Amino acid sequence: MRLRKILYSYYTAVSWFLLNNLIAHFPSRHLRHWGLKLFGVKFGGTYSLYAGFHIRNPKGLFIDAGCSIGPKVLLDARKGLKIGKSVVIAYEAIIWTLHHDYNDVNFKTIGEPVVLEDYAWICSRAIVLPGVKIGKGAVVASGAVVTKDVPPYAIVGGVPAKIIGYREKKEYSYKAEMSVAHII
């Protein structure tokens, strides 16, 4: 049993290194996609994922069609992360599904899945905490820290994030356009 734990910890460390230090920086989006599939990420269609991302537990991650995920984005899928259709996650945004229980004497980890519904937009350097559901078409402003669910089409900002407005309800149709920028 102890040997199994040791081997699993080595496997996890090597996998993490390969995914986040090699595959995340491949110059080809096709190679990045192949690497992500190899590590267990599930996809619902074509998407755009810039180089330099960081993923924790790729097997818990689902990315639907039309998504655009910017560089240096951290996607924590240890408790499950579902990214809906045509979601935009901008530069250096962080999505957490696991954190430490500050009331536990051993500082153990706790968490819940995160869901980003269709057409949501997570702006640069925003942080989404465990257990949060971002509603359809909602916008999280740059630098916001989201601690509670965000209703559909709401615009939230601040620390902690509060509703600061509402987006027009439309049938949005984002397209993940591929360009030279996607291979850098």
Side-chain angles (χ1 to χ4, degrees), residues 20-163:
N20 293 304
N21 291 304
L22 294 176
I23 294 171
H25 298 284
F26 280 165
S28 164
R29 65 184 168 89
H30 298 294
L31 289 175
R32 287 194 301 270
H33 175 77
W34 173 81
L36 290 172
K37 277 185 86 168
L38 182 71
F39 280 93
V41 175
K42 293 161 211 68
F43 301 100
T46 306
Y47 63 95
S48 173
L49 180 63
Y50 288 77
F53 57 83
H54 182 98
I55 296 175
R56 295 187 180 184
N57 186 30
K59 291 179 182 172
L61 178 60
F62 174 77
I63 301 172
D64 211 341
C67 290
S68 177
I69 301 171
K72 297 186 179 181
V73 167
L74 186 147
L75 302 173
D76 174 14
R78 291 176 288 180
K79 289 291 182 177
L81 174 56
K82 182 179 183 279
I83 301 173
K85 185 172 81 173
S86 297
V87 169
V88 175
I89 304 175
Y91 182 79
E92 289 187 345
I94 300 172
I95 314 294
W96 289 113
T97 64
L98 194 65
H99 62 111
H100 292 279
D101 182 356
Y102 45 82
N103 289 317
D104 184 82
V105 294
N106 296 313
F107 205 48
K108 73 175 184 177
T109 57
I110 58 172
E112 296 177 59
V114 170
V115 176
L116 308 179
E117 291 188 341
D118 299 348
Y119 304 105
W121 177 17
I122 313 300
C123 295
S124 297
R125 296 187 175 159
I127 300 171
V128 177
L129 295 179
V132 170
K133 179 180 178 182
I134 306 292
K136 180 179 182 178
V139 177
V140 177
S142 293
V145 177
V146 184
T147 60
K148 297 178 185 170
D149 291 353
V150 177
Y153 299 99
I155 302 168
V156 298
V159 179
K162 293 182 176 22
I163 296 174

Side-chain angles (χ1 to χ4, degrees), residues 1-17 39 56-60 77-79 98:
M1 189 61 146
R2 183 175 158 89
L3 178 61
R4 183 186 298 194
K5 266 185 150 176
I6 291 169
L7 291 174
Y8 182 75
S9 69
Y10 280 115
Y11 168 78
T12 304
V14 169
S15 297
W16 180 88
F17 177 81
F39 280 93
R56 295 187 180 184
N57 186 30
K59 291 179 182 172
R78 291 176 288 180
K79 289 291 182 177
L98 194 65

